[in-house]
Amino acid sequence: MSVQIKPTYEPLNEVTVLEVVKALDFFEEAALSHLHVKEIGDGNLNLVFHIEDQASKKALIVKQALPYAKVVGESWPLTLDRARIESEALLKEAESVPHLVPKVYYSDRTLAVTVMEDLSDHLILRKGFIDGHTYPALAEDIGTFTAKTAFYSSDFYLHPFEKKEQVKRFSNPELCKITEDLVFTDPFFNHDTNDYPAELQSEVDKIWNDTELLREVSKLRFSFLSKAEILLHGDLHTGSIFVKENSTKVIDPEFAFYGPAGFDIAHFIANLALNYLSQNAHAKEPFNRESIQLYLLQTIEKSWDTFTETFTQLWNEKSTDPYAHVDGVLENFLQKTFQQAIGFAGCEIIRRTIGLAHVADLDTIQQKDVELFYKKKALELGSKLIKNQRNITNITELTDWIRGA
Ligand code: SR1
Ligand code: MG
């Protein structure tokens, strides 16, 4: 749909958002006068409106970028271009995994708006996990999502001219800077964006004074800054995934950009590992805890196995790389990607524990001493993963490390 709705940017509200919706050919004419609108955004950055015709139950989502980071306020200005990146990334992902992303109905660069499929019958995965639910299709879906979006955006498949066009199109400097700072820098130094209880100071000091650890983080940070390998989602934590019993939808790719191949799956794994730790406090009964923790480890293993199997199949059938059939080339790529993913996962675990943006998994643990105990465990696990990237050679060794945390 191409309609110019407003000549200049303005933040929408529950009334003005209807002007966007009415310009689209989505709801029946008769429903337009009594649509139900609610702002439901609970993320760090954007406005999200749910708009429903309650008679027919037909609904859609209007997501609008604000010119600043909502989590901090107007003192942290942020590009509106992220709305373009998000809608173009959703469309690009839909070329290879249409069943795993919300449908985009309309986007408007001036208003920084994406209108998309309503997924109210799904639940945010982080919440589902905290409440003790498990999702049988998740591992295969995330393995497929990460493998297909990786392969089809890479130099192993695209013509180099096309690949470089895509790198330009998904240049996302401001959102990358957030990750460079919040994931790879601030938590490893005494920075004012960090946020942790005073009782963790001695564990935090250990991180800040661990030269071996800092050396490894600097390499991971440099990879993130410089390796334009594949089109990443860029923020694939469990708050960016909607689920129901047998359906998975990856949302929110406003951090999309060309980066190192292990980054997305690393974030998925790290957030499952954080939930694994938190289940020691959240699970109601020991039996529930054991079964959800086993499920989480199996999901980590199966998502990685699906990633490698799917990527390998695409490589064998479709690679245009002149070295694709040389023994060891694919294996080297996958091994390097795996080891770097372990390091990225370690950084994500540490930053979600002591950095600016936390995870509810750990933060909602009711008893303070228990929360501190598992936050210490998270910091130890994150540090160990970063320092042992090259000692962990396969996915079950990784899940053993998480089990032993
Ligand atoms: C200021 S934004 C903080 C975090 O929220 C997003 O989901 C990203 O993870 C970012 O690092
Ligand atoms: Mg987000």
Side-chain angles (χ1 to χ4, degrees), residues 44-45 69 71 76 178 182-183 235 237 255 351-352 356-357:
N44 293 323
L45 302 176
V71 66
W76 187 339
I178 292 179
L182 296 188
V183 180
D235 197 25
H237 56 81
F255 283 76
R351 78 88 166 218
R352 293 292 183 190
L356 175 81

Side-chain angles (χ1 to χ4, degrees), residues 235 237 240 252 254:
D235 197 25
H237 56 81
S240 296
D252 231 9
E254 65 196 316

